[in-house]
Amino acid sequence: MRLVLVGPPGAGKGTQAQFIAEHLQVPKISTGDIFRANVSEGTALGRKAKSFMDRGDLVPDDVTVDMVRDRLADSDAAVGFLLDGFPRTVPQAETLDDVLREAADAKLDVVLELVVDDDEVIRRLSGRRTCRTCNHIWHVDFDPPQAEGVCDLDNGELYQREDDKAETVANRLHVYADQTAPLVAYYAERGLLVGIDATGPVDDITSRALHALRPFGAARTED
Ligand SMILES: [Zn+2]
């Protein structure tokens, strides 16, 4: 199965990506992992990407696309894949369609959207508190330390990372909505989009996802 996973920051996308990919027995391919692999292996693309990152610039689209194209050509992706973090925009989605068609005469089977409303995302992320000593992350509601503001593991001081402040989270959600709404519409028009409620226990979300994906997998075996 060739699958793209989309969802807002704080939707638990990384965790679900891993579980779903394991169940479907396809590689989980995230842009973060691809970047790190290319940089650490010192590939030409990795060096190019690093030169932008070192200057604090965004890695240009064509570099990202080339890295994804290379990764999808690896033999383990022949059985399918779960893409996390790509595409982010409609032009990237169009490029992905081209890459799949040219490389394998293939197309995406489904795009799974993790749906979490903004208030829930803000509650999840803005409740996070990070230990200055060991970087362990606690949560004021879901996983509170015994004493407020103090890490249970090493008595380190807990603080709220800039990324987790409610204003920052709200801003990230705006950026996400602006970028992703057209992408989601693009896939919905093509009949590829399926959304699931991504609130509640992690295992329940995974079950919901696998259930929602079943018709797409079944349709493919009948090809
Ligand atoms: Zn700690």
Side-chain angles (χ1 to χ4, degrees), residues 54-164:
D54 286 347
R55 291 199 300 266
D57 291 335
L58 281 179
V59 177
D61 235 28
D62 58 329
V63 177
T64 306
V65 167
D66 284 347
M67 284 189 193
V68 171
R69 189 195 312 266
D70 280 3
R71 179 63 187 87
L72 291 179
D74 287 349
S75 57
D76 66 336
V79 293
F81 52 76
L82 184 156
L83 263 179
D84 170 17
F86 186 93
R88 282 190 196 281
T89 61
V90 170
Q92 286 185 349
E94 290 168 345
T95 306
L96 177 62
D97 289 346
D98 293 344
V99 167
L100 291 175
R101 192 179 323 111
E102 286 159 18
D105 195 20
K107 53 189 175 52
L108 274 186
D109 293 304
V110 61
V111 175
L112 179 69
E113 182 186 18
L114 300 183
V115 179
V116 185
D117 72 38
D118 286 4
D119 289 346
E120 172 70 14
V121 167
I122 290 172
R123 181 161 168 251
R124 285 185 192 181
L125 295 183
S126 68
R128 288 156 50 115
R129 296 292 181 274
T130 306
C131 174
R132 285 198 195 279
T133 310
C134 69
N135 291 318
H136 184 88
I137 296 169
W138 301 89
H139 194 286
V140 293
D141 297 321
F142 309 131
D143 186 20
Q146 303 216 333
E148 197 186 320
V150 181
C151 179
D152 284 0
L153 304 174
D154 53 19
N155 293 322
E157 183 198 354
L158 303 186
Y159 75 108
Q160 187 178 36
R161 290 183 353 162
E162 201 57 44
D163 261 8
D164 295 336

